[in-house]
Amino acid sequence: MRISDLIKMGLRNLGRRKARTALTVVGVVIGTISIMLMVAIGQGINYNFEKQIMENGSMTIIRIYTYAWGENENGEYQEYQQVLNEELIAQLREIKHVKAVSPVMEKYIELYSGKYMTGISLKIMDCATFADFGFPALEYGTYPTPEQNETIVFGYEALNEFYYNNGRTYQTKTVDLAKDRVNFTFRDYDTTDVKKQFRYVVKDYAKIAACDQWEYGWYCYVDYEFYKELYTRYANTLKPADKKKAMESLERYDTIQINVDNMKHVTEVQEAIEELGYRTESDMQYIQPMLDTSDMLQKVFLAIGAVAFVVAAINIANTMIMSIYERTKEIGIMKVLGCYIKDIKKLFLFEAGIIGCIGGMVGVGLSYVAAYLLNEYGGAFLGSLMTIAGGEADTGAAYCIIPFWLPFAAILVAISVGILSGYLPARRATKISAIEAMKNEG
Amino acid sequence: MEETEPKDTNTKEEAPIIEIKNVKKIYRMGNERIPAVDDVSFAIKKGEFCCLLGTSGSGKSTLLNLMAGIEKASGGQILIKGKNIRKMNEKQLAKFRQKYLGFVFQSYNLLNSMTALENVEFPLVFKRIPARRRKRMAREMLVKVGLGSRMNHRPKQMSGGQQQRVGIARAFVAKPEIVFADEPTGNLDTRTTMEVMDLIKQVAKDNAQTIVMVTHDPRLAKFADKIIHILDGKIQSIETISHTMTEDTEEETTEKSEAEREENEEDEKENEKE
């Protein structure tokens, strides 16, 4: 048989039993809609989740703290003191997928501008890694570089609320670096009166542009090497005993911060560091179980969709078997008239495939409508699903997202399901003997 | 099998088109063995109208089914155009039926979803003949059987006689060399029966086609050149009827058949190319 004849005959056969064909198609339509919506909801969850992670940032960052809590061999929690030094940094740089490693220190400093002052945290990091850790854009100035490392980077809130308090009046002011001179000092040890107090007058400065990451607000940033210089100068103003301690503190880091090239590798890198004998922390640790939950939820959704499809497949198989019973004589006649077995098989597979195809196409169309309705009116219900998945559902978000490949995949799946469920009936049809044509019961 | 073909064409005048040698068909019912066809041998010449005559249950229909390859024989040889159809697989059988066999059934076996024209076209669909040529052939055939005005009627809208004419048109449309007819008039009244028999006979004669007809009605046997009486799966007697047919007309038909045959072969070649 020619393909064109096969198609014509297949369509004619489906047309002969319009109601039955339509009902079978409806089964596939429901299957397609359910699988498409389930995938779309899964995509929606993923999308919202990723969006939140993006907003939080720092998902790729691992931190090693000097003082870490962890379980010991006996399963008891205890505090560990870890030695974080240059040697360890060198080791960490060797680990695969590690993009950047920086020591991190945090010091309380007091900033002065005329009679106004404020206290703030100074974050000390290797300035060569600023870019790798994704520091935000600057409002003015430039980030320090290893060659030009004397820049103090102010957070976007750091210059607000300098205050003056003489006991009677309390005044605040926002410092303008272009006009006001600013100096600062450390407050780690009591200063002696003997020597002149340490004060560093800020020469090079930069300010971070306002952004939604809080860690760039009430902080100042400075390069580690430059900090060593400053701190050595500060130590020189201290009493001998304090000076020794201060100098020693420069050799150990509070924290080491590591940036991994991809979210997916965070766990892997953490494990590698733990093998070196260090305890680590990352936001990923807390997110991972949520990701797992969302992953599982999507699989559950897919399974629900698949169940509808299995029912549709059984339905198709049933329709085809019924159709073969009805057409036993016809198949016999076809055989007697010289139809190849292969063509009979093709005919039935084609009919089953067409049921799948029509069902798939109608299902895809209705899925878009359903997705629209769900996004528009289904917020309350789907929003609760999002919270199960660990995300916060905000109103107006897209709950169902149909990716461009999904309709094609759905139709393809529908056709395949049709053909697969038509396969056994089709084989059965080929086994019908030509004798059926010779029987004379009407 | 292919090797025998050239030899076959050379000797076609002498060799019988159908040759049955010691054919047996035994049905097993539990432990019981019921012989439906028991050691039957006969031959049918090309262009012959052969009638298998017997009562119901005599095994005549089974014999027809065996000859058409619809049922598998339990023993013996069935040679059609020198080819042993017992050795053919399903695919070869299908091809063989497309090429050489036509069927007329008692219950017409038309497809009710199709018009008369489409029903006649049906065997040509399996031969992969393009739609346009197929339609032309079917139309010509329907005109020949006198249904030129009913081509687009469905079987349900036609009388039994008309339906059987469609059935005959379908059997002959591909110009097969052999047409099997299983009680072709079993469902028809006497007047229509005679019309239909005349039609079969006439169409077959025009193309020098071989007819093998099964019937229980001795009156119909009169149309045949050869009557094989069957009883309980065995041949009782074979009687050859000499019709009042002049030598001239017989020769004429033979010549005509030669021309037809060549045309047929050309058709087949064309088909294979397509």
Side-chain angles (χ1 to χ4, degrees):
Chain A
M1 275 171 96
R2 286 160 180 273
I3 300 281
S4 57
D5 291 323
L6 199 78
I7 292 170
K8 227 193 273 172
M9 241 182 105
L11 293 179
R12 187 209 299 268
N13 286 333
L14 290 176
R16 268 154 73 181
R17 290 266 181 267
K18 286 195 185 66
R20 191 173 62 195
T21 305
L23 287 174
T24 315
V25 166
V26 166
V28 182
V29 168
I30 292 169
T32 309
I33 292 177
S34 61
I35 213 159
M36 259 188 85
L37 283 189
M38 291 304 159
V39 171
I41 290 171
Q43 291 282 323
I45 290 175
N46 253 6
Y47 171 80
N48 287 337
F49 206 80
E50 266 166 33
K51 208 171 75 182
Q52 281 165 22
I53 288 173
M54 296 284 215
E55 278 164 10
N56 288 349
S58 72
M59 277 303 132
T60 55
I61 288 172
I62 301 172
R63 290 186 181 86
I64 308 173
Y65 295 102
T66 303
Y67 296 100
W69 279 89
E71 240 175 294
N72 63 16
E73 302 88 64
N74 304 324
E76 296 156 348
Y77 275 89
Q78 66 169 82
E79 196 182 39
Y80 289 86
Q81 193 178 349
Q82 313 189 109
V83 178
L84 310 181
N85 52 24
E86 273 179 57
E87 209 178 306
L88 177 62
I89 288 191
Q91 265 180 306
L92 292 172
R93 286 203 172 106
E94 296 302 309
I95 295 173
K96 210 177 153 197
H97 300 306
V98 167
K99 200 162 86 177
V101 183
S102 173
V104 181
M105 303 277 276
E106 218 176 299
K107 285 281 174 205
Y108 174 75
I109 55 169
E110 279 177 8
L111 286 166
Y112 300 93
S113 177
K115 58 179 183 174
Y116 294 91
M117 66 163 294
T118 189
I120 202 162
S121 274
L122 179 67
K123 259 202 176 175
I124 303 125
M125 286 174 72
D126 179 356
C127 70
T129 65
F130 279 10
D132 286 331
F133 281 105
F135 273 54
L138 293 173
E139 193 179 317
Y140 49 76
T142 50
Y143 277 116
T145 59
E147 295 78 37
Q148 188 77 47
N149 64 1
E150 294 187 8
T151 310
I152 310 288
V153 181
F154 292 90
Y156 55 86
E157 303 266 32
L159 295 171
N160 301 340
E161 291 182 35
F162 274 55
Y163 62 89
Y164 168 66
N165 190 359
N166 62 2
R168 288 195 305 275
T169 54
Y170 182 85
Q171 288 172 290
T172 60
K173 127 175 208 187
T174 299
V175 171
D176 181 355
L177 288 168
K179 282 186 281 178
D180 304 317
R181 284 170 73 86
V182 173
N183 64 61
F184 69 83
T185 184
F186 298 103
R187 279 275 175 248
D188 293 345
Y189 304 94
D190 289 333
T191 42
T192 53
D193 298 327
V194 186
K195 288 178 186 172
K196 207 182 165 215
Q197 207 185 36
F198 168 80
R199 283 291 174 99
Y200 175 73
V201 180
V202 175
K203 282 184 292 196
D204 294 334
Y205 52 82
K207 191 185 167 200
I208 293 170
C211 64
D212 53 11
Q213 281 160 291
W214 58 267
E215 66 259 46
Y216 299 110
W218 293 103
Y219 276 101
C220 289
Y221 288 84
V222 70
D223 176 53
Y224 200 87
E225 291 303 317
F226 182 53
Y227 158 76
K228 269 195 203 164
E229 253 179 75
L230 289 176
Y231 206 71
T232 310
R233 271 153 66 183
Y234 168 64
N236 285 335
T237 66
L238 302 173
K239 282 183 279 190
D242 291 339
K243 179 184 169 181
K244 202 179 159 213
K245 273 197 245 170
M247 289 311 288
E248 272 172 4
S249 79
L250 283 176
E251 282 162 29
R252 301 266 184 95
Y253 312 132
D254 293 345
T255 309
I256 291 177
Q257 191 169 308
I258 297 147
N259 200 12
V260 181
D261 58 2
N262 192 312
M263 246 169 71
K264 289 171 193 147
H265 298 135
V266 170
T267 314
E268 187 186 329
V269 172
Q270 264 186 297
E271 277 163 11
I273 297 170
E274 255 141 57
E275 258 171 52
L276 293 175
Y278 290 88
R279 277 157 208 279
T280 61
E281 272 178 40
S282 73
D283 290 354
M284 201 63 192
Q285 267 175 313
Y286 306 106
I287 298 291
Q288 195 64 48
M290 293 183 195
L291 279 179
D292 291 345
T293 312
S294 135
D295 213 42
M296 200 197 68
L297 203 66
Q298 283 192 58
K299 278 178 190 150
V300 170
F301 280 171
L302 204 66
I304 294 169
V307 166
F309 240 114
V310 167
V311 174
I314 292 169
N315 207 359
I316 293 175
N318 184 43
T319 297
M320 295 315 290
I321 287 171
M322 286 300 294
S323 165
I324 284 159
Y325 275 133
E326 269 178 18
R327 279 150 68 186
T328 301
K329 181 144 191 153
E330 189 180 316
I331 294 160
I333 296 167
M334 284 168 71
K335 276 194 163 180
V336 172
L337 296 183
C339 184
Y340 292 120
I341 288 177
K342 217 171 61 190
D343 286 338
I344 293 174
K345 197 172 181 176
K346 273 193 220 156
L347 182 64
F348 279 91
L349 288 182
F350 173 77
E351 285 175 31
I354 280 291
I355 289 175
C357 184
I358 296 172
M361 288 195 294
V362 175
V364 164
L366 291 179
S367 293
Y368 276 100
V369 177
Y372 171 79
L373 292 177
L374 278 177
N375 283 338
E376 204 79 343
Y377 305 108
F381 164 66
L382 286 168
S384 62
L385 279 181
M386 302 283 161
T387 18
I388 294 172
E392 291 163 31
D394 44 320
T395 43
Y399 299 108
C400 281
I401 294 169
I402 299 179
F404 75 94
W405 51 264
L406 187 57
F408 300 102
I411 291 174
L412 215 69
V413 167
I415 293 174
S416 321
V417 164
I419 291 174
L420 277 179
S421 45
Y423 185 77
L424 282 179
R427 260 189 43 166
R428 199 174 178 148
T430 62
K431 296 219 169 94
I432 288 171
S433 165
I435 288 182
E436 298 297 335
M438 311 308 275
K439 290 181 180 165
N440 287 326
E441 71 276 9
Chain B
M1 251 170 280
E2 295 298 318
E3 286 165 24
T4 59
E5 199 144 27
K7 193 181 131 202
D8 192 39
T9 36
N10 290 336
T11 58
K12 72 172 170 44
E13 290 303 302
E14 299 90 49
I17 192 161
I18 299 173
E19 215 177 343
I20 310 284
K21 288 178 190 164
N22 309 103
V23 167
K24 280 180 194 161
K25 176 70 185 178
I26 294 159
Y27 290 114
R28 284 200 175 78
M29 305 281 260
N31 287 331
E32 232 181 313
R33 289 152 67 89
I34 301 162
V37 174
D38 195 0
D39 201 12
V40 167
S41 301
F42 63 88
I44 299 169
K45 277 186 284 183
K46 184 171 165 59
E48 217 170 16
F49 192 141
C50 176
C51 176
L52 301 177
L53 186 64
T55 54
S56 114
S58 61
K60 57 188 192 307
S61 286
T62 307
L63 190 54
L64 182 108
N65 291 347
L66 293 176
M67 281 192 271
I70 291 168
E71 284 185 80
K72 288 267 176 212
S74 314
Q77 264 192 318
I78 301 166
L79 300 172
I80 295 181
K81 288 185 70 68
K83 291 173 189 172
N84 190 347
I85 64 160
R86 280 192 68 201
K87 285 185 181 158
M88 289 185 190
N89 61 27
E90 286 262 21
K91 194 181 170 185
Q92 288 167 321
L93 266 174
K95 185 138 201 180
F96 190 76
R97 285 183 192 129
Q98 285 177 11
K99 262 179 138 177
Y100 302 116
L101 306 186
F103 287 87
V104 182
F105 307 91
Q106 178 178 358
S107 47
Y108 326 128
N109 279 352
L110 301 177
L111 301 189
N112 289 324
S113 57
M114 293 180 175
T115 63
L117 187 72
E118 285 165 335
N119 265 294
V120 177
E121 263 184 74
F122 208 34
L124 304 177
V125 169
F126 304 134
K127 289 183 85 168
R128 297 178 61 85
I129 292 175
R132 240 154 117 225
R133 213 165 69 138
R134 211 161 69 195
K135 283 220 156 59
R136 202 191 65 220
M137 288 166 80
R139 227 175 270 132
E140 278 170 15
M141 202 62 221
L142 277 167
V143 170
K144 208 169 190 174
V145 299
L147 288 176
S149 58
R150 307 209 140 243
M151 286 190 198
N152 294 319
H153 285 61
R154 282 169 203 275
K156 288 270 159 72
Q157 300 167 314
M158 291 189 275
S159 70
Q162 284 170 334
Q163 286 187 54
Q164 192 58 303
R165 280 163 192 271
V166 176
I168 290 163
R170 184 177 65 184
F172 283 91
V173 70
K175 299 202 167 66
E177 291 187 38
I178 304 163
V179 174
F180 291 105
D182 188 8
E183 302 268 15
T185 59
N187 292 1
L188 302 175
D189 60 51
T190 320
R191 197 173 63 86
T192 327
T193 295
M194 292 308 152
E195 279 173 22
V196 163
M197 284 311 297
D198 282 333
L199 182 66
I200 292 176
K201 180 129 187 159
Q202 184 225 319
V203 175
K205 214 172 88 180
D206 287 353
N207 297 329
Q209 280 152 317
T210 311
I211 307 283
V212 181
M213 182 179 78
V214 161
T215 186
H216 64 277
D217 188 347
R219 286 177 303 161
L220 299 184
K222 280 180 223 141
F223 287 88
D225 306 320
K226 181 188 271 178
I227 301 169
I228 301 172
H229 293 267
I230 297 177
L231 187 66
D232 296 335
K234 289 196 174 86
I235 294 180
Q236 267 198 324
S237 64
I238 299 178
E239 100 187 67
T240 313
I241 297 169
S242 52
H243 290 278
T244 51
M245 195 188 272
T246 61
E247 291 294 309
D248 296 2
T249 46
E250 210 162 13
E251 260 174 28
E252 224 173 68
T253 48
T254 321
E255 266 168 46
K256 197 173 178 187
S257 81
E258 280 271 73
E260 284 283 7
R261 233 190 66 79
E262 270 165 32
E263 200 188 302
N264 252 353
E265 262 174 3
E266 270 170 25
D267 274 5
E268 271 155 27
K269 271 175 205 159
E270 253 176 78
N271 290 344
E272 256 144 281
K273 268 180 223 161
E274 283 155 6

